[in-house]
Amino acid sequence: CKGAPVWRFGLHVRSFQGTIRWSLAKNRIGFVFCRSWMGDVGEADPTFTKARVNSIRHAGIPFGPYCFAGNGRRSGKDEARRFVAHAHAAGWGKAGDLPGVLDIEAGESGRGGVKFVRQFAREYKRLCGHRVIIYTGSFWRDALRNPVTLTRSKLWLAAYTPTWHGW
């Protein structure tokens, strides 16, 4: 059907999932986003390394990094700089890589939260040349009051599912 949406199953992973055998996952997923930066604690995710990036690339899985926002901890501009620097250091940013993602599910609400997202999105675009994707859930609607024109970024709405194991 022309114009029908194409659904692809992808993963959103972080250090809690441990070691993933990407060669087994490649036939089951269409893409993966890996946490690179933990803004809530102000440090890099220890599993977003050159080795992980190389393993995902070797398996042929499209991937991108994500930043779990530390909304309210520091400015959005500073958060974007730290995130992009760490993602680039691990090897992200080559042709074919997916854009980065700002995961904003908690933190400062209202104007302060909106300011953080706006700063992050602007600095990310300045550093990378393209828009960040925003991953969010009810926080976007309830705490930030659904600022649809905020960044012109694509919204990726969270669909929380139970954790599974086996890869």
Side-chain angles (χ1 to χ4, degrees), residues 12 101-105 133-141 155-161:
H12 164 256
V101 173
L102 172 61
D103 180 342
I104 182 99
E105 299 176 70
I133 296 168
I134 297 175
Y135 176 86
T136 190
S138 60
F139 180 79
W140 187 262
R141 179 193 65 234
L155 285 181
W156 172 13
L157 299 176
Y160 304 107
T161 60

Side-chain angles (χ1 to χ4, degrees), residues 16 26 41 49 80 99-100 102 114 116 125 155:
F16 301 115
K26 72 180 181 181
V41 294
T49 62
L102 172 61
V114 169
F116 174 89
K125 185 172 184 196
L155 285 181

Side-chain angles (χ1 to χ4, degrees), residues 9-13 17 20 25 28-29 161-167:
F9 179 76
L11 296 178
H12 164 256
V13 300
Q17 277 84 29
I20 297 171
R28 299 177 185 175
I29 62 173
T161 60
T163 303
W164 78 92
H165 304 280
W167 294 340

Side-chain angles (χ1 to χ4, degrees), residues 10 19 59 118 126:
T19 302
R118 183 176 285 119
R126 187 188 73 76

Side-chain angles (χ1 to χ4, degrees), residues 21 28 43 51 55 58 68 70-71 78 80 91 100 103 109 114 117 123 132 156 162:
R21 294 177 291 181
R28 299 177 185 175
E43 60 188 52
S55 294
H58 183 72
F68 186 81
N71 175 6
D78 185 47
D103 180 342
S109 61
V114 169
V117 173
E123 184 65 6
V132 69
W156 172 13

Side-chain angles (χ1 to χ4, degrees), residues 1-159:
C1 182
K2 187 175 180 180
V6 175
W7 294 92
R8 301 192 92 190
F9 179 76
L11 296 178
H12 164 256
V13 300
R14 58 195 193 275
S15 57
F16 301 115
Q17 277 84 29
T19 302
I20 297 171
R21 294 177 291 181
W22 298 108
S23 59
L24 296 176
K26 72 180 181 181
N27 294 322
R28 299 177 185 175
I29 62 173
F31 63 91
V32 64
F33 283 98
C34 303
R35 184 175 65 185
S36 166
W37 187 257
M38 302 180 295
D40 55 331
V41 294
E43 60 188 52
D45 185 311
T47 63
F48 193 83
T49 62
K50 286 182 181 183
R52 175 169 264 185
V53 167
N54 290 337
S55 294
I56 295 168
R57 275 209 178 96
H58 183 72
I61 303 169
F63 84 99
Y66 81 88
C67 172
F68 186 81
N71 175 6
R73 184 176 175 88
R74 65 179 48 84
S75 75
K77 185 175 184 177
D78 185 47
E79 188 93 339
R81 287 178 179 164
R82 291 169 187 253
F83 165 61
V84 170
H86 180 67
H88 281 158
W92 170 74
K94 294 184 179 180
D97 287 349
L98 299 176
V101 173
L102 172 61
D103 180 342
I104 182 99
E105 299 176 70
E108 190 175 349
S109 61
R111 289 182 184 177
V114 169
K115 180 179 177 183
F116 174 89
V117 173
R118 183 176 285 119
Q119 288 175 345
F120 187 102
R122 284 181 181 158
E123 184 65 6
Y124 175 91
K125 185 172 184 196
R126 187 188 73 76
L127 294 169
C128 300
H130 56 266
R131 297 186 195 285
V132 69
I133 296 168
I134 297 175
Y135 176 86
T136 190
S138 60
F139 180 79
W140 187 262
R141 179 193 65 234
D142 299 341
L144 299 182
R145 298 186 181 96
N146 199 27
V148 293
T149 61
L150 177 64
T151 65
R152 297 187 184 150
S153 294
K154 303 279 187 202
L155 285 181
W156 172 13
L157 299 176

